[in-house]
Amino acid sequence: YPLCALAVSDERPVSTQSTWVKWINKSRKIEKEKKFAKQREAEFDEEDEDNEAGVETWEDQQAKMGVEYSKTDLGGMKIQHSLSKFTTGKQEILVLKDQPLLKDRDQINDAEDALVSRNLVEQEILDRNKARKSWQCSSER
């Protein structure tokens, strides 16, 4: 039998070394990202605890900014709904009516602001849809 000697070398082929280096760098990058994510999570948890301890309402935030609204601020504004739509003894929250900022592409909408009740607007939409549906059903006969 011929004698064969195997040469043992510390040097690995270049492709194997670069693969290991890439893997190590990728692992380090992933570890850094995980560490950063844990830090951010801790910060968010800390913020949540602070917010839960002293929950601020919208009114509290407005008071801090020095903005305070009263009945006089809303005096003289138009209400879109007729008085018959409101029921006696029931409170309704009124909000500013959604309107486009521009009438045309280049003209500002100067329409007066109006107050609307979201509940009444939704009810009007439901009533309109019911009327359309009943009209479609009667025309199909």
Side-chain angles (χ1 to χ4, degrees):
Y1 297 104
L3 292 174
C4 292
L6 293 176
V8 178
S9 171
D10 285 342
E11 294 182 17
R12 293 189 178 117
V14 175
S15 64
T16 306
Q17 283 181 343
S18 65
T19 304
W20 282 99
V21 171
K22 286 180 186 177
W23 181 80
I24 290 171
N25 289 337
K26 186 176 180 181
S27 296
R28 287 180 182 164
K29 183 179 177 183
I30 290 171
E31 286 180 32
K32 284 181 185 178
E33 289 174 354
K34 285 181 181 180
K35 184 177 179 181
F36 180 72
K38 284 183 181 181
Q39 288 174 345
R40 292 291 293 165
E41 183 180 359
E43 290 173 7
F44 285 131
D45 288 344
E46 188 176 305
E47 287 177 15
D48 287 344
E49 289 173 6
D50 291 344
N51 288 340
E52 288 174 4
V55 177
E56 288 187 0
T57 62
W58 182 81
E59 290 84 7
D60 295 339
Q61 292 172 355
Q62 296 298 313
K64 279 184 180 178
M65 293 190 304
V67 178
E68 213 171 296
Y69 292 101
S70 66
K71 293 178 185 178
T72 57
D73 295 319
L74 301 175
M77 289 193 76
K78 291 184 179 180
I79 297 177
Q80 181 176 344
H81 311 288
S82 65
L83 188 58
S84 63
K85 297 280 184 177
F86 295 98
T87 56
T88 306
K90 183 179 177 188
Q91 291 185 351
E92 288 286 341
I93 297 175
L94 300 175
V95 296
L96 285 174
K97 178 183 175 183
D98 290 334
Q99 296 184 40
L101 294 175
L102 300 175
K103 280 193 270 187
D104 295 325
R105 290 179 174 250
D106 58 347
Q107 292 182 354
I108 295 177
N109 186 0
D110 292 333
E112 235 181 282
D113 288 333
L115 296 172
V116 295
S117 168
R118 286 308 213 184
N119 296 334
L120 293 176
V121 169
E122 289 175 8
Q123 188 61 45
E124 289 172 4
I125 292 170
L126 285 173
D127 293 343
R128 204 173 331 138
N129 289 342
K130 284 180 185 177
R132 286 181 186 160
K133 189 174 183 180
S134 66
W135 180 78
Q136 287 176 349
C137 291
S138 64
S139 65
E140 289 176 0
R141 292 180 190 170

mmCIF file with all atom_site columns, all heavy atoms in Angstrom, residues 106-132:
data_model
loop_
_atom_site.group_PDB
_atom_site.id
_atom_site.type_symbol
_atom_site.label_atom_id
_atom_site.label_alt_id
_atom_site.label_comp_id
_atom_site.label_asym_id
_atom_site.label_entity_id
_atom_site.label_seq_id
_atom_site.pdbx_PDB_ins_code
_atom_site.Cartn_x
_atom_site.Cartn_y
_atom_site.Cartn_z
_atom_site.occupancy
_atom_site.B_iso_or_equiv
_atom_site.pdbx_formal_charge
_atom_site.auth_seq_id
_atom_site.auth_comp_id
_atom_site.auth_asym_id
_atom_site.auth_atom_id
_atom_site.pdbx_PDB_model_num
ATOM 1   N N   . ASP A 1 106 ? -59.083 75.689 -7.281 1.00 0.00 ? 106 ASP A N   1
ATOM 2   C CA  . ASP A 1 106 ? -58.292 76.829 -6.838 1.00 0.00 ? 106 ASP A CA  1
ATOM 3   C C   . ASP A 1 106 ? -59.059 77.828 -5.981 1.00 0.00 ? 106 ASP A C   1
ATOM 4   O O   . ASP A 1 106 ? -58.537 78.864 -5.629 1.00 0.00 ? 106 ASP A O   1
ATOM 5   C CB  . ASP A 1 106 ? -57.692 77.545 -8.043 1.00 0.00 ? 106 ASP A CB  1
ATOM 6   C CG  . ASP A 1 106 ? -58.764 78.012 -9.018 1.00 0.00 ? 106 ASP A CG  1
ATOM 7   O OD1 . ASP A 1 106 ? -59.918 77.572 -8.884 1.00 0.00 ? 106 ASP A OD1 1
ATOM 8   O OD2 . ASP A 1 106 ? -58.444 78.819 -9.903 1.00 0.00 ? 106 ASP A OD2 1
ATOM 9   N N   . GLN A 1 107 ? -60.302 77.534 -5.621 1.00 0.00 ? 107 GLN A N   1
ATOM 10  C CA  . GLN A 1 107 ? -61.094 78.465 -4.827 1.00 0.00 ? 107 GLN A CA  1
ATOM 11  C C   . GLN A 1 107 ? -61.348 77.893 -3.436 1.00 0.00 ? 107 GLN A C   1
ATOM 12  O O   . GLN A 1 107 ? -61.760 76.738 -3.297 1.00 0.00 ? 107 GLN A O   1
ATOM 13  C CB  . GLN A 1 107 ? -62.426 78.748 -5.505 1.00 0.00 ? 107 GLN A CB  1
ATOM 14  C CG  . GLN A 1 107 ? -62.287 79.519 -6.793 1.00 0.00 ? 107 GLN A CG  1
ATOM 15  C CD  . GLN A 1 107 ? -63.643 79.808 -7.399 1.00 0.00 ? 107 GLN A CD  1
ATOM 16  O OE1 . GLN A 1 107 ? -64.666 79.347 -6.921 1.00 0.00 ? 107 GLN A OE1 1
ATOM 17  N NE2 . GLN A 1 107 ? -63.651 80.581 -8.478 1.00 0.00 ? 107 GLN A NE2 1
ATOM 18  N N   . ILE A 1 108 ? -61.085 78.711 -2.443 1.00 0.00 ? 108 ILE A N   1
ATOM 19  C CA  . ILE A 1 108 ? -61.298 78.293 -1.057 1.00 0.00 ? 108 ILE A CA  1
ATOM 20  C C   . ILE A 1 108 ? -62.786 78.265 -0.765 1.00 0.00 ? 108 ILE A C   1
ATOM 21  O O   . ILE A 1 108 ? -63.533 79.157 -1.165 1.00 0.00 ? 108 ILE A O   1
ATOM 22  C CB  . ILE A 1 108 ? -60.563 79.249 -0.095 1.00 0.00 ? 108 ILE A CB  1
ATOM 23  C CG1 . ILE A 1 108 ? -59.064 79.130 -0.308 1.00 0.00 ? 108 ILE A CG1 1
ATOM 24  C CG2 . ILE A 1 108 ? -60.931 78.946 1.348  1.00 0.00 ? 108 ILE A CG2 1
ATOM 25  C CD1 . ILE A 1 108 ? -58.245 80.070 0.539  1.00 0.00 ? 108 ILE A CD1 1
ATOM 26  N N   . ASN A 1 109 ? -63.219 77.254 -0.055 1.00 0.00 ? 109 ASN A N   1
ATOM 27  C CA  . ASN A 1 109 ? -64.611 77.109 0.334  1.00 0.00 ? 109 ASN A CA  1
ATOM 28  C C   . ASN A 1 109 ? -64.904 78.070 1.477  1.00 0.00 ? 109 ASN A C   1
ATOM 29  O O   . ASN A 1 109 ? -64.388 77.922 2.583  1.00 0.00 ? 109 ASN A O   1
ATOM 30  C CB  . ASN A 1 109 ? -64.868 75.657 0.767  1.00 0.00 ? 109 ASN A CB  1
ATOM 31  C CG  . ASN A 1 109 ? -66.326 75.395 1.037  1.00 0.00 ? 109 ASN A CG  1
ATOM 32  O OD1 . ASN A 1 109 ? -67.165 76.282 0.905  1.00 0.00 ? 109 ASN A OD1 1
ATOM 33  N ND2 . ASN A 1 109 ? -66.631 74.173 1.413  1.00 0.00 ? 109 ASN A ND2 1
ATOM 34  N N   . ASP A 1 110 ? -65.727 79.068 1.218  1.00 0.00 ? 110 ASP A N   1
ATOM 35  C CA  . ASP A 1 110 ? -66.058 80.078 2.224  1.00 0.00 ? 110 ASP A CA  1
ATOM 36  C C   . ASP A 1 110 ? -67.371 79.766 2.923  1.00 0.00 ? 110 ASP A C   1
ATOM 37  O O   . ASP A 1 110 ? -67.906 80.623 3.633  1.00 0.00 ? 110 ASP A O   1
ATOM 38  C CB  . ASP A 1 110 ? -66.158 81.465 1.579  1.00 0.00 ? 110 ASP A CB  1
ATOM 39  C CG  . ASP A 1 110 ? -64.815 81.967 1.095  1.00 0.00 ? 110 ASP A CG  1
ATOM 40  O OD1 . ASP A 1 110 ? -63.798 81.542 1.672  1.00 0.00 ? 110 ASP A OD1 1
ATOM 41  O OD2 . ASP A 1 110 ? -64.781 82.779 0.144  1.00 0.00 ? 110 ASP A OD2 1
ATOM 42  N N   . ALA A 1 111 ? -67.893 78.581 2.756  1.00 0.00 ? 111 ALA A N   1
ATOM 43  C CA  . ALA A 1 111 ? -69.165 78.223 3.378  1.00 0.00 ? 111 ALA A CA  1
ATOM 44  C C   . ALA A 1 111 ? -69.028 78.302 4.894  1.00 0.00 ? 111 ALA A C   1
ATOM 45  O O   . ALA A 1 111 ? -67.989 78.002 5.468  1.00 0.00 ? 111 ALA A O   1
ATOM 46  C CB  . ALA A 1 111 ? -69.587 76.824 2.965  1.00 0.00 ? 111 ALA A CB  1
ATOM 47  N N   . GLU A 1 112 ? -70.120 78.727 5.521  1.00 0.00 ? 112 GLU A N   1
ATOM 48  C CA  . GLU A 1 112 ? -70.116 78.863 6.966  1.00 0.00 ? 112 GLU A CA  1
ATOM 49  C C   . GLU A 1 112 ? -70.038 77.492 7.626  1.00 0.00 ? 112 GLU A C   1
ATOM 50  O O   . GLU A 1 112 ? -70.610 76.517 7.127  1.00 0.00 ? 112 GLU A O   1
ATOM 51  C CB  . GLU A 1 112 ? -71.423 79.547 7.405  1.00 0.00 ? 112 GLU A CB  1
ATOM 52  C CG  . GLU A 1 112 ? -71.192 80.782 8.233  1.00 0.00 ? 112 GLU A CG  1
ATOM 53  C CD  . GLU A 1 112 ? -72.495 81.401 8.649  1.00 0.00 ? 112 GLU A CD  1
ATOM 54  O OE1 . GLU A 1 112 ? -73.106 82.065 7.805  1.00 0.00 ? 112 GLU A OE1 1
ATOM 55  O OE2 . GLU A 1 112 ? -72.881 81.198 9.802  1.00 0.00 ? 112 GLU A OE2 1
ATOM 56  N N   . ASP A 1 113 ? -69.345 77.431 8.756  1.00 0.00 ? 113 ASP A N   1
ATOM 57  C CA  . ASP A 1 113 ? -69.279 76.178 9.507  1.00 0.00 ? 113 ASP A CA  1
ATOM 58  C C   . ASP A 1 113 ? -70.648 75.882 10.094 1.00 0.00 ? 113 ASP A C   1
ATOM 59  O O   . ASP A 1 113 ? -71.410 76.787 10.436 1.00 0.00 ? 113 ASP A O   1
ATOM 60  C CB  . ASP A 1 113 ? -68.259 76.270 10.642 1.00 0.00 ? 113 ASP A CB  1
ATOM 61  C CG  . ASP A 1 113 ? -66.827 76.277 10.129 1.00 0.00 ? 113 ASP A CG  1
ATOM 62  O OD1 . ASP A 1 113 ? -66.592 75.726 9.041  1.00 0.00 ? 113 ASP A OD1 1
ATOM 63  O OD2 . ASP A 1 113 ? -65.953 76.815 10.829 1.00 0.00 ? 113 ASP A OD2 1
ATOM 64  N N   . ALA A 1 114 ? -70.955 74.595 10.207 1.00 0.00 ? 114 ALA A N   1
ATOM 65  C CA  . ALA A 1 114 ? -72.222 74.183 10.789 1.00 0.00 ? 114 ALA A CA  1
ATOM 66  C C   . ALA A 1 114 ? -71.961 73.060 11.772 1.00 0.00 ? 114 ALA A C   1
ATOM 67  O O   . ALA A 1 114 ? -71.004 72.297 11.637 1.00 0.00 ? 114 ALA A O   1
ATOM 68  C CB  . ALA A 1 114 ? -73.183 73.723 9.702  1.00 0.00 ? 114 ALA A CB  1
ATOM 69  N N   . LEU A 1 115 ? -72.806 72.970 12.766 1.00 0.00 ? 115 LEU A N   1
ATOM 70  C CA  . LEU A 1 115 ? -72.716 71.900 13.743 1.00 0.00 ? 115 LEU A CA  1
ATOM 71  C C   . LEU A 1 115 ? -73.686 70.788 13.360 1.00 0.00 ? 115 LEU A C   1
ATOM 72  O O   . LEU A 1 115 ? -74.810 71.055 12.933 1.00 0.00 ? 115 LEU A O   1
ATOM 73  C CB  . LEU A 1 115 ? -73.053 72.425 15.144 1.00 0.00 ? 115 LEU A CB  1
ATOM 74  C CG  . LEU A 1 115 ? -72.092 73.473 15.705 1.00 0.00 ? 115 LEU A CG  1
ATOM 75  C CD1 . LEU A 1 115 ? -72.639 74.047 17.012 1.00 0.00 ? 115 LEU A CD1 1
ATOM 76  C CD2 . LEU A 1 115 ? -70.717 72.874 15.924 1.00 0.00 ? 115 LEU A CD2 1
ATOM 77  N N   . VAL A 1 116 ? -73.239 69.545 13.513 1.00 0.00 ? 116 VAL A N   1
ATOM 78  C CA  . VAL A 1 116 ? -74.089 68.397 13.208 1.00 0.00 ? 116 VAL A CA  1
ATOM 79  C C   . VAL A 1 116 ? -73.950 67.373 14.320 1.00 0.00 ? 116 VAL A C   1
ATOM 80  O O   . VAL A 1 116 ? -72.951 67.316 15.030 1.00 0.00 ? 116 VAL A O   1
ATOM 81  C CB  . VAL A 1 116 ? -73.718 67.739 11.860 1.00 0.00 ? 116 VAL A CB  1
ATOM 82  C CG1 . VAL A 1 116 ? -73.985 68.665 10.709 1.00 0.00 ? 116 VAL A CG1 1
ATOM 83  C CG2 . VAL A 1 116 ? -72.290 67.280 11.847 1.00 0.00 ? 116 VAL A CG2 1
ATOM 84  N N   . SER A 1 117 ? -74.954 66.548 14.442 1.00 0.00 ? 117 SER A N   1
ATOM 85  C CA  . SER A 1 117 ? -74.913 65.422 15.366 1.00 0.00 ? 117 SER A CA  1
ATOM 86  C C   . SER A 1 117 ? -74.589 64.185 14.557 1.00 0.00 ? 117 SER A C   1
ATOM 87  O O   . SER A 1 117 ? -75.278 63.876 13.575 1.00 0.00 ? 117 SER A O   1
ATOM 88  C CB  . SER A 1 117 ? -76.265 65.252 16.065 1.00 0.00 ? 117 SER A CB  1
ATOM 89  O OG  . SER A 1 117 ? -76.297 64.017 16.727 1.00 0.00 ? 117 SER A OG  1
ATOM 90  N N   . ARG A 1 118 ? -73.552 63.485 14.935 1.00 0.00 ? 118 ARG A N   1
ATOM 91  C CA  . ARG A 1 118 ? -73.165 62.273 14.207 1.00 0.00 ? 118 ARG A CA  1
ATOM 92  C C   . ARG A 1 118 ? -74.295 61.248 14.224 1.00 0.00 ? 118 ARG A C   1
ATOM 93  O O   . ARG A 1 118 ? -74.547 60.569 13.234 1.00 0.00 ? 118 ARG A O   1
ATOM 94  C CB  . ARG A 1 118 ? -71.892 61.649 14.804 1.00 0.00 ? 118 ARG A CB  1
ATOM 95  C CG  . ARG A 1 118 ? -70.640 62.403 14.476 1.00 0.00 ? 118 ARG A CG  1
ATOM 96  C CD  . ARG A 1 118 ? -70.622 62.574 13.033 1.00 0.00 ? 118 ARG A CD  1
ATOM 97  N NE  . ARG A 1 118 ? -69.290 62.556 12.471 1.00 0.00 ? 118 ARG A NE  1
ATOM 98  C CZ  . ARG A 1 118 ? -69.081 62.776 11.207 1.00 0.00 ? 118 ARG A CZ  1
ATOM 99  N NH1 . ARG A 1 118 ? -70.074 63.008 10.400 1.00 0.00 ? 118 ARG A NH1 1
ATOM 100 N NH2 . ARG A 1 118 ? -67.882 62.779 10.713 1.00 0.00 ? 118 ARG A NH2 1
ATOM 101 N N   . ASN A 1 119 ? -74.969 61.134 15.347 1.00 0.00 ? 119 ASN A N   1
ATOM 102 C CA  . ASN A 1 119 ? -76.075 60.170 15.444 1.00 0.00 ? 119 ASN A CA  1
ATOM 103 C C   . ASN A 1 119 ? -77.183 60.508 14.460 1.00 0.00 ? 119 ASN A C   1
ATOM 104 O O   . ASN A 1 119 ? -77.728 59.629 13.786 1.00 0.00 ? 119 ASN A O   1
ATOM 105 C CB  . ASN A 1 119 ? -76.629 60.131 16.866 1.00 0.00 ? 119 ASN A CB  1
ATOM 106 C CG  . ASN A 1 119 ? -75.618 59.624 17.863 1.00 0.00 ? 119 ASN A CG  1
ATOM 107 O OD1 . ASN A 1 119 ? -74.705 58.881 17.512 1.00 0.00 ? 119 ASN A OD1 1
ATOM 108 N ND2 . ASN A 1 119 ? -75.760 60.045 19.113 1.00 0.00 ? 119 ASN A ND2 1
ATOM 109 N N   . LEU A 1 120 ? -77.532 61.787 14.380 1.00 0.00 ? 120 LEU A N   1
ATOM 110 C CA  . LEU A 1 120 ? -78.602 62.187 13.464 1.00 0.00 ? 120 LEU A CA  1
ATOM 111 C C   . LEU A 1 120 ? -78.173 62.045 12.003 1.00 0.00 ? 120 LEU A C   1
ATOM 112 O O   . LEU A 1 120 ? -78.983 61.665 11.152 1.00 0.00 ? 120 LEU A O   1
ATOM 113 C CB  . LEU A 1 120 ? -79.045 63.618 13.756 1.00 0.00 ? 120 LEU A CB  1
ATOM 114 C CG  . LEU A 1 120 ? -79.749 63.839 15.103 1.00 0.00 ? 120 LEU A CG  1
ATOM 115 C CD1 . LEU A 1 120 ? -80.045 65.310 15.311 1.00 0.00 ? 120 LEU A CD1 1
ATOM 116 C CD2 . LEU A 1 120 ? -81.009 63.004 15.200 1.00 0.00 ? 120 LEU A CD2 1
ATOM 117 N N   . VAL A 1 121 ? -76.912 62.327 11.702 1.00 0.00 ? 121 VAL A N   1
ATOM 118 C CA  . VAL A 1 121 ? -76.414 62.164 10.333 1.00 0.00 ? 121 VAL A CA  1
ATOM 119 C C   . VAL A 1 121 ? -76.489 60.695 9.932  1.00 0.00 ? 121 VAL A C   1
ATOM 120 O O   . VAL A 1 121 ? -76.955 60.358 8.835  1.00 0.00 ? 121 VAL A O   1
ATOM 121 C CB  . VAL A 1 121 ? -74.964 62.704 10.204 1.00 0.00 ? 121 VAL A CB  1
ATOM 122 C CG1 . VAL A 1 121 ? -74.345 62.298 8.880  1.00 0.00 ? 121 VAL A CG1 1
ATOM 123 C CG2 . VAL A 1 121 ? -74.949 64.210 10.365 1.00 0.00 ? 121 VAL A CG2 1
ATOM 124 N N   . GLU A 1 122 ? -76.048 59.806 10.831 1.00 0.00 ? 122 GLU A N   1
ATOM 125 C CA  . GLU A 1 122 ? -76.103 58.370 10.531 1.00 0.00 ? 122 GLU A CA  1
ATOM 126 C C   . GLU A 1 122 ? -77.549 57.906 10.356 1.00 0.00 ? 122 GLU A C   1
ATOM 127 O O   . GLU A 1 122 ? -77.839 57.090 9.480  1.00 0.00 ? 122 GLU A O   1
ATOM 128 C CB  . GLU A 1 122 ? -75.405 57.577 11.631 1.00 0.00 ? 122 GLU A CB  1
ATOM 129 C CG  . GLU A 1 122 ? -73.898 57.741 11.612 1.00 0.00 ? 122 GLU A CG  1
ATOM 130 C CD  . GLU A 1 122 ? -73.216 57.047 12.780 1.00 0.00 ? 122 GLU A CD  1
ATOM 131 O OE1 . GLU A 1 122 ? -73.885 56.310 13.534 1.00 0.00 ? 122 GLU A OE1 1
ATOM 132 O OE2 . GLU A 1 122 ? -71.991 57.239 12.927 1.00 0.00 ? 122 GLU A OE2 1
ATOM 133 N N   . GLN A 1 123 ? -78.449 58.423 11.188 1.00 0.00 ? 123 GLN A N   1
ATOM 134 C CA  . GLN A 1 123 ? -79.863 58.052 11.070 1.00 0.00 ? 123 GLN A CA  1
ATOM 135 C C   . GLN A 1 123 ? -80.441 58.537 9.745  1.00 0.00 ? 123 GLN A C   1
ATOM 136 O O   . GLN A 1 123 ? -81.195 57.807 9.094  1.00 0.00 ? 123 GLN A O   1
ATOM 137 C CB  . GLN A 1 123 ? -80.663 58.623 12.247 1.00 0.00 ? 123 GLN A CB  1
ATOM 138 C CG  . GLN A 1 123 ? -82.089 58.139 12.303 1.00 0.00 ? 123 GLN A CG  1
ATOM 139 C CD  . GLN A 1 123 ? -82.180 56.630 12.457 1.00 0.00 ? 123 GLN A CD  1
ATOM 140 O OE1 . GLN A 1 123 ? -81.478 56.040 13.264 1.00 0.00 ? 123 GLN A OE1 1
ATOM 141 N NE2 . GLN A 1 123 ? -83.041 56.005 11.681 1.00 0.00 ? 123 GLN A NE2 1
ATOM 142 N N   . GLU A 1 124 ? -80.069 59.732 9.308  1.00 0.00 ? 124 GLU A N   1
ATOM 143 C CA  . GLU A 1 124 ? -80.540 60.235 8.016  1.00 0.00 ? 124 GLU A CA  1
ATOM 144 C C   . GLU A 1 124 ? -80.035 59.359 6.870  1.00 0.00 ? 124 GLU A C   1
ATOM 145 O O   . GLU A 1 124 ? -80.777 59.072 5.928  1.00 0.00 ? 124 GLU A O   1
ATOM 146 C CB  . GLU A 1 124 ? -80.077 61.678 7.812  1.00 0.00 ? 124 GLU A CB  1
ATOM 147 C CG  . GLU A 1 124 ? -80.784 62.681 8.691  1.00 0.00 ? 124 GLU A CG  1
ATOM 148 C CD  . GLU A 1 124 ? -80.173 64.073 8.620  1.00 0.00 ? 124 GLU A CD  1
ATOM 149 O OE1 . GLU A 1 124 ? -79.236 64.283 7.820  1.00 0.00 ? 124 GLU A OE1 1
ATOM 150 O OE2 . GLU A 1 124 ? -80.643 64.950 9.369  1.00 0.00 ? 124 GLU A OE2 1
ATOM 151 N N   . ILE A 1 125 ? -78.809 58.917 6.953  1.00 0.00 ? 125 ILE A N   1
ATOM 152 C CA  . ILE A 1 125 ? -78.254 58.029 5.921  1.00 0.00 ? 125 ILE A CA  1
ATOM 153 C C   . ILE A 1 125 ? -79.004 56.709 5.900  1.00 0.00 ? 125 ILE A C   1
ATOM 154 O O   . ILE A 1 125 ? -79.360 56.195 4.834  1.00 0.00 ? 125 ILE A O   1
ATOM 155 C CB  . ILE A 1 125 ? -76.738 57.816 6.148  1.00 0.00 ? 125 ILE A CB  1
ATOM 156 C CG1 . ILE A 1 125 ? -75.983 59.117 5.885  1.00 0.00 ? 125 ILE A CG1 1
ATOM 157 C CG2 . ILE A 1 125 ? -76.206 56.696 5.264  1.00 0.00 ? 125 ILE A CG2 1
ATOM 158 C CD1 . ILE A 1 125 ? -74.528 59.079 6.305  1.00 0.00 ? 125 ILE A CD1 1
ATOM 159 N N   . LEU A 1 126 ? -79.276 56.146 7.075  1.00 0.00 ? 126 LEU A N   1
ATOM 160 C CA  . LEU A 1 126 ? -80.039 54.894 7.143  1.00 0.00 ? 126 LEU A CA  1
ATOM 161 C C   . LEU A 1 126 ? -81.433 55.062 6.552  1.00 0.00 ? 126 LEU A C   1
ATOM 162 O O   . LEU A 1 126 ? -81.907 54.203 5.795  1.00 0.00 ? 126 LEU A O   1
ATOM 163 C CB  . LEU A 1 126 ? -80.140 54.412 8.596  1.00 0.00 ? 126 LEU A CB  1
ATOM 164 C CG  . LEU A 1 126 ? -78.892 53.790 9.197  1.00 0.00 ? 126 LEU A CG  1
ATOM 165 C CD1 . LEU A 1 126 ? -79.105 53.516 10.686 1.00 0.00 ? 126 LEU A CD1 1
ATOM 166 C CD2 . LEU A 1 126 ? -78.544 52.499 8.485  1.00 0.00 ? 126 LEU A CD2 1
ATOM 167 N N   . ASP A 1 127 ? -82.097 56.155 6.900  1.00 0.00 ? 127 ASP A N   1
ATOM 168 C CA  . ASP A 1 127 ? -83.442 56.410 6.374  1.00 0.00 ? 127 ASP A CA  1
ATOM 169 C C   . ASP A 1 127 ? -83.412 56.551 4.850  1.00 0.00 ? 127 ASP A C   1
ATOM 170 O O   . ASP A 1 127 ? -84.270 56.011 4.152  1.00 0.00 ? 127 ASP A O   1
ATOM 171 C CB  . ASP A 1 127 ? -84.039 57.677 6.999  1.00 0.00 ? 127 ASP A CB  1
ATOM 172 C CG  . ASP A 1 127 ? -84.325 57.512 8.484  1.00 0.00 ? 127 ASP A CG  1
ATOM 173 O OD1 . ASP A 1 127 ? -84.366 56.354 8.957  1.00 0.00 ? 127 ASP A OD1 1
ATOM 174 O OD2 . ASP A 1 127 ? -84.482 58.544 9.169  1.00 0.00 ? 127 ASP A OD2 1
ATOM 175 N N   . ARG A 1 128 ? -82.406 57.268 4.335  1.00 0.00 ? 128 ARG A N   1
ATOM 176 C CA  . ARG A 1 128 ? -82.275 57.440 2.891  1.00 0.00 ? 128 ARG A CA  1
ATOM 177 C C   . ARG A 1 128 ? -82.052 56.087 2.203  1.00 0.00 ? 128 ARG A C   1
ATOM 178 O O   . ARG A 1 128 ? -82.646 55.797 1.163  1.00 0.00 ? 128 ARG A O   1
ATOM 179 C CB  . ARG A 1 128 ? -81.103 58.373 2.606  1.00 0.00 ? 128 ARG A CB  1
ATOM 180 C CG  . ARG A 1 128 ? -81.193 59.074 1.298  1.00 0.00 ? 128 ARG A CG  1
ATOM 181 C CD  . ARG A 1 128 ? -80.114 60.115 1.089  1.00 0.00 ? 128 ARG A CD  1
ATOM 182 N NE  . ARG A 1 128 ? -79.638 60.727 2.319  1.00 0.00 ? 128 ARG A NE  1
ATOM 183 C CZ  . ARG A 1 128 ? -78.361 60.995 2.592  1.00 0.00 ? 128 ARG A CZ  1
ATOM 184 N NH1 . ARG A 1 128 ? -77.430 60.729 1.706  1.00 0.00 ? 128 ARG A NH1 1
ATOM 185 N NH2 . ARG A 1 128 ? -78.004 61.554 3.717  1.00 0.00 ? 128 ARG A NH2 1
ATOM 186 N N   . ASN A 1 129 ? -81.188 55.250 2.800  1.00 0.00 ? 129 ASN A N   1
ATOM 187 C CA  . ASN A 1 129 ? -80.922 53.934 2.214  1.00 0.00 ? 129 ASN A CA  1
ATOM 188 C C   . ASN A 1 129 ? -82.158 53.045 2.249  1.00 0.00 ? 129 ASN A C   1
ATOM 189 O O   . ASN A 1 129 ? -82.430 52.312 1.296  1.00 0.00 ? 129 ASN A O   1
ATOM 190 C CB  . ASN A 1 129 ? -79.758 53.249 2.938  1.00 0.00 ? 129 ASN A CB  1
ATOM 191 C CG  . ASN A 1 129 ? -78.433 53.899 2.640  1.00 0.00 ? 129 ASN A CG  1
ATOM 192 O OD1 . ASN A 1 129 ? -78.294 54.646 1.665  1.00 0.00 ? 129 ASN A OD1 1
ATOM 193 N ND2 . ASN A 1 129 ? -77.450 53.642 3.478  1.00 0.00 ? 129 ASN A ND2 1
ATOM 194 N N   . LYS A 1 130 ? -82.929 53.118 3.335  1.00 0.00 ? 130 LYS A N   1
ATOM 195 C CA  . LYS A 1 130 ? -84.170 52.333 3.423  1.00 0.00 ? 130 LYS A CA  1
ATOM 196 C C   . LYS A 1 130 ? -85.158 52.788 2.353  1.00 0.00 ? 130 LYS A C   1
ATOM 197 O O   . LYS A 1 130 ? -85.828 51.981 1.723  1.00 0.00 ? 130 LYS A O   1
ATOM 198 C CB  . LYS A 1 130 ? -84.795 52.474 4.804  1.00 0.00 ? 130 LYS A CB  1
ATOM 199 C CG  . LYS A 1 130 ? -84.100 51.678 5.872  1.00 0.00 ? 130 LYS A CG  1
ATOM 200 C CD  . LYS A 1 130 ? -84.782 51.878 7.213  1.00 0.00 ? 130 LYS A CD  1
ATOM 201 C CE  . LYS A 1 130 ? -84.026 51.187 8.325  1.00 0.00 ? 130 LYS A CE  1
ATOM 202 N NZ  . LYS A 1 130 ? -84.632 51.425 9.649  1.00 0.00 ? 130 LYS A NZ  1
ATOM 203 N N   . ALA A 1 131 ? -85.254 54.112 2.158  1.00 0.00 ? 131 ALA A N   1
ATOM 204 C CA  . ALA A 1 131 ? -86.170 54.644 1.151  1.00 0.00 ? 131 ALA A CA  1
ATOM 205 C C   . ALA A 1 131 ? -85.740 54.196 -0.245 1.00 0.00 ? 131 ALA A C   1
ATOM 206 O O   . ALA A 1 131 ? -86.579 53.802 -1.062 1.00 0.00 ? 131 ALA A O   1
ATOM 207 C CB  . ALA A 1 131 ? -86.210 56.173 1.229  1.00 0.00 ? 131 ALA A CB  1
ATOM 208 N N   . ARG A 1 132 ? -84.450 54.223 -0.520 1.00 0.00 ? 132 ARG A N   1
ATOM 209 C CA  . ARG A 1 132 ? -83.958 53.765 -1.828 1.00 0.00 ? 132 ARG A CA  1
ATOM 210 C C   . ARG A 1 132 ? -84.253 52.285 -2.028 1.00 0.00 ? 132 ARG A C   1
ATOM 211 O O   . ARG A 1 132 ? -84.655 51.862 -3.105 1.00 0.00 ? 132 ARG A O   1
ATOM 212 C CB  . ARG A 1 132 ? -82.458 53.999 -1.946 1.00 0.00 ? 132 ARG A CB  1
ATOM 213 C CG  . ARG A 1 132 ? -82.082 55.430 -2.153 1.00 0.00 ? 132 ARG A CG  1
ATOM 214 C CD  . ARG A 1 132 ? -80.589 55.571 -2.280 1.00 0.00 ? 132 ARG A CD  1
ATOM 215 N NE  . ARG A 1 132 ? -80.213 56.967 -2.346 1.00 0.00 ? 132 ARG A NE  1
ATOM 216 C CZ  . ARG A 1 132 ? -79.023 57.433 -2.097 1.00 0.00 ? 132 ARG A CZ  1
ATOM 217 N NH1 . ARG A 1 132 ? -78.050 56.600 -1.761 1.00 0.00 ? 132 ARG A NH1 1
ATOM 218 N NH2 . ARG A 1 132 ? -78.768 58.715 -2.184 1.00 0.00 ? 132 ARG A NH2 1
#
